[in-house]
Amino acid sequence: MPAQLIDGKALSSQVEAALKTRVDRLRSEGHIPGLCVILVGDDPASHLYVGNKEKACERLGIYSRTVRLPADATQSMLEQAVHAANDDDRIHGVLVQLPLPKHLDGSRALSLILPQKDADGIHDVNAGKLMRGENGAVACTPKGAMYMLKSAGIALSGKNAVVVGRSNIVGKPMAMLLLQENATVTICHSRTHDLAAHTRNADILVAAIGQPRFITADMVKDGAVVVDVGMNRVDGKFCGDVDFDAVREKASFITPVPGGVGKMTIAMLMSNTVEAAEKAFVRQ
Ligand code: NDP
């Protein structure tokens, strides 16, 4: 029997509906949550993602501002944009759209965002809190993937979870979140020997690699839960890091691409922004 789909589109709509209620309440009290996105250069994929973030803000009633800097912007221009957003009381969430042009120091720019305005949940302070199991903003993509697993009722405690990919925005925080749920976690990467031996041992398999249809059916255990974070464009169409059609025949649950983790990433960005705004208004 083919795997059950974990539908990111439907789940993200549910998350947005709940967030809308919270935004409406804030607005009725005279408070408008605000998100500032800093976009450098002309990368078409980044423009598409930023457009989707702007639309989500509009749907929810969140004030949205996009600061567009040219591809040859200096480090100082980027940092000034971060400081301006930090200093602006109308803004509760700040994010720098990645990837940045190679001449810019992204880590430095991200570290300048105030941790309490870190909408992407990838600031050093928030990453450290996640590592220690303390409350803080959580990286949107893994947060969304975990939401999907929980919504599907998948038990994680004691399960073998394998995360392929060790980036700071997806792989590592995903592994930490799974660990917090008492899964036994293995992180694989490009230097892993015999990757398939690891992935075949996974009850929960998360692919965050950036290589189209890289995880094939022979790499997946019967009945595994497969979360496909990958977002690759092939012949003008999006596909994930998992060979969806073949893996679907083996897995018990699977997330589709598109309509999976990507939708949840935006919903979690909205969630982090609303949460940051609620905390800011309580502090006032
Ligand atoms: P990165 O390029 O930062 O990281 C990719 C990871 O995959 C690295 O850790 C790399 O290992 C590992 N990797 C690459 N090739 C192999 C291989 N052959 N075998 C094993 N591991 C390998 O990517 P991101 O984490 O930023 O993104 C991963 C994917 O998720 C991309 O497709 C991206 O587009 C997508 N994405 C989707 C989002 C969404 O909202 N759905 C949000 C963010 C990302 P090493 O460290 O050794 O180089």
Side-chain angles (χ1 to χ4, degrees), residues 11 58 78 112 145 199 205 236 240 242 266:
L11 280 176
E58 204 176 306
L78 173 60
L112 296 175
T199 57
L205 176 59
V242 173
I266 302 228

Side-chain angles (χ1 to χ4, degrees), residues 11-12 14-20 22-23 26 33-35 53 56-57 59-60 62 92-95 116-121 136-141 143-144 147 263-280:
L11 280 176
S12 62
Q14 285 171 22
V15 171
E16 280 197 9
L19 287 172
K20 176 92 173 57
R22 285 162 66 183
V23 174
L26 286 172
L35 173 69
K53 290 166 188 178
C57 284
R59 285 195 297 274
L60 295 185
I62 294 173
H92 307 93
V94 182
L95 81 82
Q116 64 270 29
K117 291 195 176 188
D118 172 29
D120 253 346
V138 173
C140 300
T141 301
K143 186 176 175 181
Y147 191 98
K263 291 273 176 201
M264 296 305 292
T265 297
I266 302 228
M268 294 302 139
L269 173 66
M270 297 299 116
S271 165
N272 282 351
T273 303
V274 173
E275 219 160 289
E278 285 170 342
K279 285 184 182 155

Side-chain angles (χ1 to χ4, degrees), residues 49 140-142 163-172 187-192 195 207-212 214-215 219 228-233 239-241 257 260-266:
Y49 297 144
C140 300
T141 301
V163 180
V164 189
R166 56 175 166 178
S167 71
N168 289 329
I169 61 168
V170 188
K172 283 182 202 160
I187 306 177
C188 299
H189 45 78
S190 67
R191 311 289 173 87
T192 298
L195 177 67
I209 308 162
Q211 309 236 12
F214 182 87
I215 302 288
M219 297 170 80
D228 190 353
V229 177
M231 189 71 90
N232 311 290
R233 205 188 270 260
C239 73
D241 290 343
V257 178
V261 177
K263 291 273 176 201
M264 296 305 292
T265 297
I266 302 228

Side-chain angles (χ1 to χ4, degrees), residues 21 24 50 80 90-91 113 116 118 130 148 170 193 243:
T21 309
D24 287 348
V50 169
Q80 273 172 33
R90 286 169 298 175
I91 299 297
I113 296 173
Q116 64 270 29
D118 172 29
L130 178 63
M148 295 176 96
V170 188
H193 289 170
D243 182 3

Side-chain angles (χ1 to χ4, degrees), residues 38-40 78 96-107 109:
I38 299 167
L39 173 61
V40 187
L78 173 60
V96 175
Q97 183 65 40
L98 301 175
L100 286 168
K102 296 231 171 338
H103 68 281
L104 295 172
D105 183 345
S107 300

Side-chain angles (χ1 to χ4, degrees), residues 170-193:
V170 188
K172 283 182 202 160
M174 186 73 210
M176 284 303 128
L177 290 169
L178 287 162
L179 189 61
Q180 271 180 19
E181 296 298 325
N182 301 312
T184 301
V185 183
T186 304
I187 306 177
C188 299
H189 45 78
S190 67
R191 311 289 173 87
T192 298
H193 289 170

